[in-house]
Amino acid sequence: MFDDPNVVLHCEKIDKIYPGTKALDQVSFDLLKGQVNVLIGENGAGKSTLMKMIAGIEQPSSGKMYMDGKEVYFKDTNAARAKGIGIIHQELSLFPNMTVYQNIFMGHEKKKGIFLDDKAHSEGAKKILKRLEHEIPPDTMVGDLRVGQQQMVEIARNLNQDDLRVLIMDEPTSSLSAAEVKVLFKIMRELLEAGISIVYISHRLEEIMEIGDHVTILRDGKYVADAAVKDIELSWIVENMVGKNTQYHRFERSIDLSKQPKMLEIKNLCLPKKGGGWTLDHVSLDLKKGEVLGIYGLLGAGRSELFECLMGLHPEHTGDVFYEGKKLKIKDVATQIQNGFALVPEDRQSQGLIQTLDIGKNTSISSLKDYVKGLFLDEKAENAAVDEQIRDIHIKVADKRLPILSLSGGNQQKVVIGKGLLTKPKILLLDEPSRGIDIGAKTEVFEIIHELAEKGLSIIVISSELKEIMAIADRICVLSNGKKTGELTGDEITEDTLVRTSYAGLGTGRNA
Amino acid sequence: MNNKKSNNNQLLMTLLKGRTFIVLVLLVIFFTIVKGTTFLSASTLTMVAKHVALYGILALGMTFVIITGGIDLSVGSVVGLVGMLAGGMIQEGITLKFAGVTLYFSVPVIVIAMLIVGCLIGAVNGLIVTKLGVAPFIATLGTMYICRGFANLRSNGATFSDIKGYDGLGNTGFKILGSNIAGIPTGVYIFAVLAVISVIILKKLPFGWYVLAVGGNEKSARLSGIKADKIKIIVYMISGFCAAWVGMINTAQLSAAHPASGDGWEMNAIAATVLGGTSMSGGSGTIIGTVVGAFVIGVINDGMTMCGVSEFWQKVIRGLVIILAVVIDQTQRNLQAKMALQARNENK
């Protein structure tokens, strides 16, 4: 029997088998009492899966869990909650159609007799939100809140449990601003003092060094290493996480960009924000043939909206766009594709792919009219084009008739890029092309971007990952709060300047 | 400048929120002008109320189902089936062939039995939707046909007429459900009581939260420990329960049970619900809205009939009203989102 007073929960040789894959392979894990237990690993390493077992969302295929020296089995979230285990999900799991207090008390309502006690709910919610330094009126609809505020409500839901012993936080900071992260860390320290143990999953390694106590690393569903944070360094984590020491190398360009013609020039692009202010505030930039222009900025800086304007999704924008010196009239997406623009959207699942179609059709869907002979689709021509694309950008597929979801995230992303390329664009817009794919696939995507640029394609890349954008971009424009706050080339590009310029547009108020 | 604009928005918002009620008032004024004060006479209003109660009760149940993101097409057929079963139980009783006896039941027993039948049909709907994973539209389309079939099979397509029970058997009194108490149709009282209970369930009981939660984000609801399947089964049972009441009231009003009774009524119920602001995609809706929506449907139907509008044109107009209602509903949602954004910016 397992019994260690410093361990709240012990997992013993957990296996989790999904059809076709082994998500967890004999993983043992000690959740240390009163500490921030950090779980690190690349995407698909099994961190979230392991946490789902502990929170009772899913059940292990084999293996055991122990709490207080006794074996426990969580058949659902209620069973785990009864043992004081709360979880903050990676994707927000709130009810946008309900109020803040309803969200906070959902599942453990306060009652007077058989009736709901909304006064108690409202007051309770106020108290918790005050503690979180986010005094959101409790009767606000959650759907009307900013994402960061919603995240706070999600956290408040868990704090509401009186008997909370373990709080699992799965990438809680991904949608928070720097100020909000600070508050969150303060709360975490308070929770620790109150004797609550925390499991923390994050991709932001700097955060881990700041808040973490003990690190456990998973790779490909297996346990790799664990250590106390004070004993280790960042490079140790990265090394164990990826198996080898990866730093993105900067791509060397063979083209002399100063001699290349301008492909695109944007002058004073403005996009009004609903209800006042600007999403894009007089943004001007240009792009040369064969250039990779990076766009860096915080969430909400207006990066994706810039792309959306160029693709004709916001007809209400003002300002001029010149394409090869000629002024463009941006009408709609179809015309923009014809004009030589292609967009690889940020959200692959909801905007990039059609899940019900196979790999081949997902690749050819935007350019189908190129393969029409008379009235009918010339499948031979279509297949040839798809095959060529699959070969060109190294999509690993056994058969292009397989469902798109049978591919890994990285290969799905390549399909979306391939789809864009098949429309024969002159300008490729990539919105977070490396989101949600593993490091190996990331490097491949970057190589593809580099190759395409070398062939003369002009590319604009949005990324929130400093290292990535520094490696891939020839020049970086920084957006902040809708304004262009910097344009950096060559040696000017450092992490420090990028971060500082990305904050430069904040705090000037929306009427400025 | 901004302030004035936001005030205008506020005003528009208030108007939009109360739109169903405003439409109702306008309709009443319109028909009063066209038909003169006969439209406001006690006899007309009683007739309208009698009809509204039928659609309204169906719409109460429908509101619960639609808030969870489902739909119940079977309610019209349940009305017909319950009518036939109730009529049959009163007039023919239940004959046990093996014992050679025919049993007759008192009215309260029949009422309770019919309510149980309604709940059971609802439970079947819910089970098909949750446990077999059939889309609500298809599942209830199926049970709609099944119930209609059984309604016809009960009497081989014939009508039970002149239902009043036999003094000697002590099963009289069913007609109270279809007559007036103190000048007001009994159905209206039942509608009122069921509406109040519905408001309490939706607003004051945890179950009401769960209904909203399942409709708003089913996955989160499950993660919050809510038994989403159970909630869904219960809302279909509520809908069946309401349909059973309507089946009995309708039969009592007519003193007869037709197998075709209630045909197409599910559409009136859905229309009333949607007019009342319940979103077909689930997650939002109010009982008050549905009640007002039922009145709008009732006033339009009866008003047009009184004005001599042909039945065919009535259908066209009803269709237009429903589409218009949903368009306005979307306008309101957009405006609401815009105002929330504005408020958020101002707070910054």
Side-chain angles (χ1 to χ4, degrees):
Chain A
M1 281 287 91
F2 185 87
D3 205 358
D4 180 343
N6 292 321
V7 175
V8 192
L9 184 143
H10 172 73
C11 298
E12 181 75 33
K13 294 191 175 149
I14 302 271
D15 274 341
K16 178 68 189 179
I17 297 161
Y18 291 116
T21 50
K22 201 163 191 184
L24 288 177
D25 188 358
Q26 298 281 306
V27 173
S28 296
F29 172 67
D30 280 339
L31 209 162
L32 303 175
K33 193 174 268 178
Q35 297 208 0
V36 176
N37 299 264
V38 182
L39 266 185
I40 301 180
E42 291 186 51
N43 289 302
K47 303 166 301 211
S48 296
T49 313
L50 181 60
M51 288 310 111
K52 280 180 186 163
M53 312 284 138
I54 295 180
I57 298 166
E58 286 179 27
Q59 289 67 42
S61 306
S62 70
K64 287 179 175 142
M65 288 191 274
Y66 300 89
M67 273 181 105
D68 310 315
K70 281 194 281 290
E71 188 183 336
V72 287
Y73 178 79
F74 303 137
K75 69 175 189 349
D76 55 25
T77 45
N78 283 342
R81 196 161 292 158
K83 285 278 185 186
I85 297 173
I87 182 163
I88 294 170
H89 297 278
Q90 192 172 2
E91 292 125 37
L92 289 174
S93 61
L94 295 169
F95 306 99
N97 57 326
M98 303 181 80
T99 64
V100 169
Y101 74 75
Q102 284 177 322
N103 268 280
I104 291 177
F105 285 91
M106 180 63 71
H108 26 95
E109 302 82 12
K110 289 200 188 310
K111 280 184 281 186
K112 257 189 194 159
I114 62 161
F115 296 112
L116 291 162
D117 186 356
D118 278 342
K119 210 173 143 209
H121 290 149
S122 184
E123 276 163 13
K126 249 186 213 157
K127 223 160 74 193
I128 298 168
L129 289 166
K130 192 164 181 192
R131 200 171 141 203
L132 287 168
E133 297 180 21
H134 273 71
E135 293 180 49
I136 308 161
D139 51 0
T140 322
M141 283 290 167
V142 162
D144 293 341
L145 297 175
R146 278 187 297 115
V147 178
Q149 288 176 312
Q150 292 186 359
Q151 185 70 274
M152 285 298 168
V153 174
E154 177 95 49
I155 293 165
R157 286 177 78 179
N158 281 283
L159 296 189
N160 187 32
Q161 274 174 267
D162 299 328
D163 53 350
L164 189 70
R165 289 179 65 194
V166 174
L167 182 59
I168 301 168
M169 307 172 108
D170 195 349
E171 298 212 49
T173 57
S174 51
S175 54
L176 296 187
S177 71
E180 286 163 336
V181 171
K182 221 175 244 170
V183 176
L184 178 68
F185 283 2
K186 204 181 124 232
I187 299 293
M188 284 169 71
R189 291 193 186 101
E190 275 177 35
L191 290 175
L192 293 177
E193 271 166 38
I196 293 166
S197 316
I198 295 175
V199 182
Y200 191 77
I201 300 180
S202 175
H203 282 293
R204 302 188 184 177
L205 300 181
E206 318 87 70
E207 268 178 27
I208 291 162
M209 298 307 279
E210 184 184 341
I211 192 78
D213 293 315
H214 196 91
V215 173
T216 304
I217 298 177
L218 298 180
R219 194 198 314 150
D220 298 330
K222 293 189 189 72
Y223 163 90
V224 177
D226 75 290
V229 169
K230 60 177 174 12
D231 300 333
I232 56 169
E233 282 179 18
L234 255 179
S235 59
W236 179 87
I237 295 179
V238 177
E239 210 171 291
N240 280 292
M241 192 167 87
V242 298
K244 55 181 192 277
N245 215 337
T246 44
Q247 269 285 12
Y248 302 113
H249 67 282
R250 228 188 116 65
F251 288 95
E252 292 305 324
R253 298 304 308 266
S254 62
I255 305 175
D256 182 2
L257 285 170
S258 62
K259 289 185 185 132
Q260 292 290 320
K262 259 186 203 165
M263 282 299 285
L264 183 74
E265 194 171 6
I266 298 169
K267 278 187 180 157
N268 288 324
L269 187 70
C270 288
L271 181 66
K273 198 181 274 182
K274 276 182 195 162
W278 301 101
T279 307
L280 286 172
D281 191 355
H282 297 87
V283 173
S284 300
L285 50 87
D286 54 56
L287 177 69
K288 290 184 170 155
K289 189 167 161 50
E291 184 178 34
V292 180
L293 174 68
I295 306 271
Y296 180 75
L298 303 170
L299 271 180
R303 303 168 308 172
S304 299
E305 287 80 359
L306 175 70
F307 280 8
E308 286 166 16
C309 283
L310 289 176
M311 288 310 287
L313 287 166
H314 294 293
E316 72 272 27
H317 75 251
T318 57
D320 299 325
V321 177
F322 297 91
Y323 177 70
E324 291 183 311
K326 284 192 297 284
K327 194 172 159 190
L328 263 192
K329 250 190 118 170
I330 298 178
K331 232 171 56 196
D332 53 32
V333 180
T335 358
Q336 281 311 93
I337 291 178
Q338 243 165 22
N339 281 338
F341 288 79
L343 171 69
V344 174
E346 179 180 13
D347 188 337
R348 187 166 57 239
Q349 293 306 336
S350 73
Q351 299 172 316
L353 297 173
I354 300 173
Q355 281 82 353
T356 46
L357 295 180
D358 63 26
I359 298 166
K361 267 283 176 293
N362 264 293
T363 317
S364 60
I365 189 84
S366 288
S367 50
L368 276 183
K369 63 178 186 320
D370 293 347
Y371 322 119
V372 173
K373 251 192 200 163
L375 278 175
F376 301 101
L377 195 61
D378 179 359
E379 286 198 25
K380 236 191 210 158
E382 184 198 348
N383 284 337
V386 169
D387 286 339
E388 191 189 328
Q389 207 47 247
I390 287 177
R391 206 166 46 237
D392 273 9
I393 56 175
H394 322 291
I395 307 173
K396 287 176 204 120
V397 292
D399 181 351
K400 61 176 180 294
R401 298 282 160 250
L402 287 174
I404 185 73
L405 294 180
S406 66
L407 294 180
S408 68
N411 279 309
Q412 286 180 17
Q413 183 68 309
K414 286 190 214 161
V415 168
V416 183
I417 296 176
K419 174 176 78 170
L421 292 176
L422 271 184
T423 64
K424 303 189 187 70
K426 298 280 169 44
I427 294 171
L428 183 62
L429 308 173
L430 300 167
D431 197 347
E432 300 275 7
S434 62
R435 170 156 300 174
I437 61 181
D438 62 52
I439 283 203
K442 271 182 191 179
T443 320
E444 283 177 33
V445 167
F446 295 157
E447 273 160 12
I448 293 168
I449 294 173
H450 178 68
E451 273 171 38
L452 292 169
E454 286 290 302
K455 283 183 195 156
L457 189 65
S458 305
I459 298 172
I460 309 184
V461 183
I462 290 175
S463 177
S464 342
E465 303 272 326
L466 277 173
K467 289 219 163 66
E468 289 179 19
I469 202 156
M470 287 169 66
I472 191 73
D474 301 311
R475 188 158 54 100
I476 299 177
C477 276
V478 184
L479 289 183
S480 177
N481 201 19
K483 288 187 265 295
K484 184 170 129 182
T485 48
E487 187 175 319
L488 311 168
T489 39
D491 294 341
E492 293 164 8
I493 304 177
T494 61
E495 288 185 26
D496 191 51
T497 35
L498 278 174
V499 172
R500 265 189 298 116
T501 34
S502 71
Y503 285 102
L506 298 171
T508 38
R510 68 190 181 91
N511 292 322
Chain B
M1 180 208 101
N2 235 333
N3 233 339
K4 199 177 150 199
K5 203 174 148 200
S6 104
N7 279 344
N8 281 343
N9 278 350
Q10 217 92 47
L11 181 69
L12 189 57
M13 197 69 203
T14 320
L15 286 178
L16 281 173
K17 272 194 173 154
R19 67 184 178 276
T20 327
F21 192 72
I22 295 170
V23 168
L24 180 61
V25 172
L26 290 178
L27 279 172
V28 171
I29 293 173
F30 174 77
F31 285 123
T32 311
I33 292 169
V34 176
K35 282 310 286 183
T37 41
T38 47
F39 190 76
L40 292 178
S41 70
S43 65
T44 312
L45 291 182
T46 312
M47 179 191 74
V48 173
K50 210 165 135 181
H51 292 157
V52 166
L54 295 178
Y55 303 146
I57 295 172
L58 288 182
L60 292 176
M62 191 68 76
T63 305
F64 282 97
V65 175
I66 292 183
I67 291 178
T68 61
I71 193 143
D72 188 352
L73 299 179
S74 69
V75 289
S77 297
V78 174
V79 168
L81 177 60
V82 164
M84 291 304 289
L85 292 179
M89 269 175 94
I90 293 170
Q91 285 213 320
E92 294 181 348
I94 293 176
T95 306
L96 301 175
K97 279 199 184 117
F98 60 91
V101 291
T102 300
L103 299 173
Y104 288 88
F105 301 90
S106 71
V107 169
V109 173
I110 291 172
V111 169
I112 289 166
M114 289 305 112
L115 293 176
I116 291 172
V117 167
C119 288
L120 284 178
I121 297 171
V124 169
N125 278 330
L127 287 168
I128 297 174
V129 168
T130 53
K131 302 299 174 197
L132 302 180
V134 178
F137 190 96
I138 304 299
T140 57
L141 184 69
T143 48
M144 174 181 110
Y145 284 121
I146 293 170
C147 291
R148 186 62 69 196
F150 278 120
N152 280 289
L153 283 169
R154 174 66 186 82
S155 63
N156 224 345
T159 300
F160 290 112
S161 53
D162 202 19
I163 298 169
K164 53 184 177 218
Y166 308 97
D167 278 328
L169 296 169
N171 64 351
T172 55
F174 188 69
K175 71 171 190 290
I176 185 78
L177 286 174
S179 50
N180 293 354
I181 300 174
I184 295 170
T186 313
V188 176
Y189 292 105
I190 297 174
F191 179 34
V193 170
L194 290 177
V196 170
I197 295 174
S198 299
V199 169
I200 292 172
I201 291 177
L202 206 52
K203 289 260 178 205
K204 295 285 171 198
L205 299 187
F207 178 77
W209 279 21
Y210 299 160
V211 169
L212 284 168
V214 168
N217 189 344
E218 191 179 332
K219 205 174 134 206
S220 307
R222 288 179 200 278
L223 292 179
S224 303
I226 296 166
K227 296 192 170 66
D229 284 357
K230 193 175 125 195
I231 304 296
K232 283 189 183 172
I233 293 169
I234 295 174
V235 294
Y236 284 101
M237 289 174 73
I238 293 175
S239 183
F241 178 84
C242 290
W245 273 114
V246 175
M248 290 186 285
I249 296 166
N250 183 51
T251 304
Q253 282 177 355
L254 300 169
S255 298
H258 300 281
S261 274
D263 189 29
W265 287 13
E266 62 279 353
M267 291 304 157
N268 280 316
I270 294 168
T273 309
V274 172
L275 273 174
T278 300
S279 157
M280 286 297 284
S281 50
S284 71
T286 61
I287 295 298
I288 308 289
T290 297
V291 170
V292 179
F295 271 96
V296 170
I297 291 281
V299 168
I300 292 178
N301 286 355
D302 288 345
M304 287 195 298
T305 309
M306 284 180 71
C307 292
V309 178
S310 84
E311 200 191 324
F312 307 137
W313 275 110
Q314 285 193 23
K315 289 197 169 161
V316 174
I317 292 168
R318 230 177 295 158
L320 290 173
V321 168
I322 292 168
I323 292 172
L324 190 70
V326 176
V327 171
I328 297 174
D329 190 53
Q330 249 137 23
T331 318
Q332 183 205 328
R333 270 168 227 274
N334 289 342
L335 188 68
Q336 207 160 4
K338 207 163 131 186
M339 285 171 66
L341 202 73
Q342 203 168 345
R344 194 189 297 168
N345 283 336
E346 271 156 21
N347 285 341
K348 244 189 201 167

